[in-house]
Amino acid sequence: MADVVSFRKEEPSGLLLHEAKGPVLRLTLNNPPANVLSIALMQELLAALDEAAASKEIKVVVIAAMGKLFSAGHDLKEMTGHRADADGGRAFFERTIRLAGDIMLKISKLPQAVIAEIDGLATAAGCQLVASCDLAICTDTSTFCTPGVNIGLFCSTPMVALSRAAHRKQAMEMLLTGETIDAGTAKEFGLVNRIVPQQYLRQVVDKYGAVIAAKSPQALKIGKQAFYRQAEMPLAEAYDYAVGVMVENMLARDAEEGIGAFLGKRMPEWKEQ
């Protein structure tokens, strides 16, 4: 009698999964059950973003998550465990929160576009991660919140990203009430770009990635940097700055190539960096 062989699909291993598909790098949080942003996971994510920033091949970065939660934010158990430290946990708390801040800053300074792919709950620093990405696409069952106020810990660092992504009063509503909002409300607030059915999430994100990756990487780098810088300037200063940026961009090789291709009715050939 033939032997019966059982095949079991192996679960992906590692706190952060890497998948490069052409010019798109997918980084997937894999810290079940809640994908909490532990020190170890954040260190891996920051290192992966550093590698992406130095890559000539990667044009778009997607941040996704395994399981039913996108991320529940900081690892409160890990943090609470350090209250017994001689300083009451101060040094560890600062290390944890600053590391998260470093990741959010890295995302904004990355030369590539960063897309958050959300399916499930994104709360506290997990919501901060969504708000920090350049684009955010979620399923129609995804939810978002900054619930720190409910446990006596105002979401001050998530507030930085949230107040820059969502409308000010809506951001304050989330921060002051700590209540969970649905996907539709998150889109109204300005926290996410698109809402799609779960079965189409990957397909839609991949399409966005492909469309963006086809653009000039030089132009994307210049434009992304300028977008975040001008957003913090007074109007007149922002225009002065943007004029300078656009002049320099016009003098760049890719602008010359792109305009020439447009006028010549041909496809442009972008420079690698």
Side-chain angles (χ1 to χ4, degrees):
M1 185 175 69
D3 293 334
V4 176
V5 181
S6 175
F7 292 97
R8 185 179 64 182
K9 184 178 179 181
E10 290 193 13
E11 294 295 325
S13 59
L15 290 172
L16 185 69
L17 309 181
H18 301 239
E19 179 188 347
K21 187 177 181 182
V24 179
L25 172 64
R26 176 176 291 268
L27 301 174
T28 303
L29 310 181
N30 186 37
N31 191 17
N35 289 316
V36 290
L37 299 177
S38 63
I39 285 283
L41 174 54
M42 289 194 292
Q43 286 175 331
E44 287 198 28
L45 180 54
L46 187 58
L49 292 172
D50 282 334
E51 288 182 16
S55 172
K56 294 181 180 180
E57 290 75 33
I58 299 302
K59 305 297 190 300
V60 177
V61 176
V62 174
I63 298 180
M66 294 289 287
K68 297 180 179 179
L69 276 76
F70 178 78
S71 175
H74 288 302
D75 189 338
L76 295 181
K77 288 184 178 179
E78 182 178 62
M79 295 176 76
T80 299
H82 284 267
R83 288 193 181 277
D85 294 352
D87 63 354
R90 176 182 292 272
F92 187 81
F93 300 161
E94 181 169 355
R95 180 187 174 200
T96 299
I97 296 168
R98 193 169 296 279
L99 182 55
D102 289 344
I103 289 170
M104 310 308 164
L105 277 172
K106 174 63 66 174
I107 289 171
S108 69
K109 294 181 182 301
L110 213 68
Q112 299 94 340
V114 182
I115 305 173
E117 178 184 296
I118 310 104
D119 181 23
L121 175 66
T123 178
C127 187
Q128 180 185 6
L129 182 56
V130 171
S132 297
C133 292
D134 303 311
L135 300 176
I137 301 171
C138 72
T139 60
D140 48 13
T141 55
S142 293
T143 52
F144 306 83
C145 67
T146 49
V149 69
N150 296 330
I151 57 172
L153 181 67
F154 200 86
C155 285
S156 299
T157 44
M159 172 182 68
V160 175
L162 183 62
S163 64
R164 284 161 170 76
H167 309 302
R168 182 169 294 187
K169 290 190 183 298
Q170 280 76 14
M172 280 297 286
E173 178 181 330
M174 292 180 67
L175 292 161
L176 292 173
T177 66
E179 293 183 350
T180 301
I181 61 172
D182 60 21
T185 304
K187 189 172 185 296
E188 289 177 9
F189 282 11
L191 184 57
V192 300
N193 298 84
R194 293 284 183 271
I195 305 170
V196 298
Q198 185 182 48
Q199 64 267 33
Y200 298 123
L201 179 63
R202 175 72 183 259
Q203 180 181 339
V204 171
V205 172
D206 285 350
K207 181 178 179 181
Y208 268 81
V211 168
I212 295 170
K215 312 303 181 187
S216 159
Q218 188 178 45
L220 291 175
K221 179 180 179 180
I222 292 170
K224 177 174 172 176
Q225 181 184 57
F227 177 87
Y228 289 111
R229 288 191 63 182
Q230 66 80 28
E232 303 305 317
M233 296 177 181
L235 185 61
E237 185 181 340
Y239 269 114
D240 283 342
Y241 167 71
V243 167
V245 170
M246 199 157 187
V247 169
E248 292 302 316
N249 196 167
M250 276 293 292
L251 293 169
R253 184 266 180 193
D254 271 7
E256 182 179 0
E257 165 64 14
I259 293 170
F262 174 76
L263 295 175
K265 297 182 179 180
R266 61 176 175 81
M267 293 298 293
E269 297 181 8
W270 305 127
K271 191 177 178 181
E272 286 302 312
Q273 58 180 1

